[in-house]
Amino acid sequence: MALLPILRYPDPRLHKIAKPVTSFDDRLRKLVADMAETMYEAPGVGLAATQVDAHERVIVIDVSDTRDQLRVLVNPEIVWASEDRQVYDEGCLSVPGIYDGVERPARVRVKAFDADGKPQEFDADGLLAVCVQHEMDHLMGKVFVEYLSPLKRNRIKTKLVKEERELKKDRVAVAAR
Ligand code: NI
């Protein structure tokens, strides 16, 4: 297994649209294992393949406190969403340090495959419902900050671009030593 680098907003690769998985093979299982390791290490509750620059419809999620309830969703689909909605303070491994409220359907029914191609269907509410919808947005090239006002989004962009520049400077300084 290996840790994968996570793309940071506003990297344009975060806006690529993921393609459906067509073969459930060792390559897919390795991607899933690496994504799970990367998510646990970060640590985060969910990660979409888009965030590690793999543009396929693959998501890993673990919203448990014990961090041992890994869910792998391949080619996920939302087949039903509730009319009632909830606002949840979302964060994202690609938008480090930023949390803001996003309104989404409170409950959803999800169909997907696991890494071996076995179909699964489940109902989600609470954090799991938020997480599934947030990660599925990534697969469509959408980052949660796009739900916020243009003013907030621009502030976030400016802050992250500045941080990225500082990080690069530090890396160069270390390399020069
Ligand atoms: Ni995210």
Side-chain angles (χ1 to χ4, degrees):
M1 291 205 290
L3 288 177
L4 305 169
I6 298 175
L7 300 178
R8 285 170 59 110
Y9 185 78
D11 192 307
R13 289 170 291 179
L14 285 169
H15 303 304
K16 283 196 191 176
I17 294 176
K19 294 201 170 73
V21 168
T22 51
S23 58
F24 293 82
D25 52 11
D26 286 346
R27 194 200 56 85
L28 175 67
R29 280 184 284 274
K30 180 171 188 329
L31 173 65
V32 166
D34 289 347
M35 284 175 60
E37 190 184 359
T38 303
M39 173 186 74
Y40 285 121
E41 168 74 21
V45 293
L47 187 71
T50 310
Q51 294 177 274
V52 293
D53 203 21
H55 302 280
E56 313 175 46
R57 295 187 59 80
V58 178
I59 289 170
V60 293
I61 290 177
D62 189 343
V63 294
S64 71
D65 292 332
T66 43
R67 313 291 285 152
D68 58 359
Q69 309 280 315
L70 179 67
R71 281 175 191 267
V72 176
L73 307 185
V74 179
N75 297 344
E77 271 179 83
I78 289 178
V79 292
W80 172 83
S82 66
E83 268 171 43
D84 51 312
R85 298 168 72 86
Q86 64 179 354
V87 178
Y88 199 94
D89 249 350
E90 297 188 18
C92 179
L93 294 174
S94 293
V95 194
I98 307 288
Y99 299 86
D100 214 322
V102 176
E103 188 187 300
R104 301 182 186 271
R107 284 169 294 130
V108 289
R109 183 164 306 136
V110 186
K111 261 190 183 175
F113 296 90
D114 70 10
D116 297 314
K118 204 176 119 216
Q120 44 178 328
E121 184 170 340
F122 61 92
D123 288 343
D125 61 7
L127 177 57
L128 181 58
V130 172
C131 198
V132 167
Q133 294 175 81
H134 174 119
E135 302 309 334
M136 283 183 68
D137 275 352
H138 276 302
L139 300 180
M140 295 304 295
K142 186 165 184 174
V143 180
F144 86 98
V145 296
E146 288 165 64
Y147 289 97
L148 310 177
S149 69
L151 180 70
K152 271 190 183 172
R153 192 161 61 240
N154 280 328
R155 269 194 209 141
I156 291 167
K157 212 179 269 183
T158 308
K159 182 171 180 274
L160 292 178
V161 167
K162 198 173 154 226
E163 275 176 17
E164 184 69 22
R165 218 182 292 135
E166 297 297 320
L167 280 174
K168 271 194 193 129
K169 245 190 262 165
D170 289 350
R171 269 181 238 134
V172 171
V174 168
R177 233 176 262 155

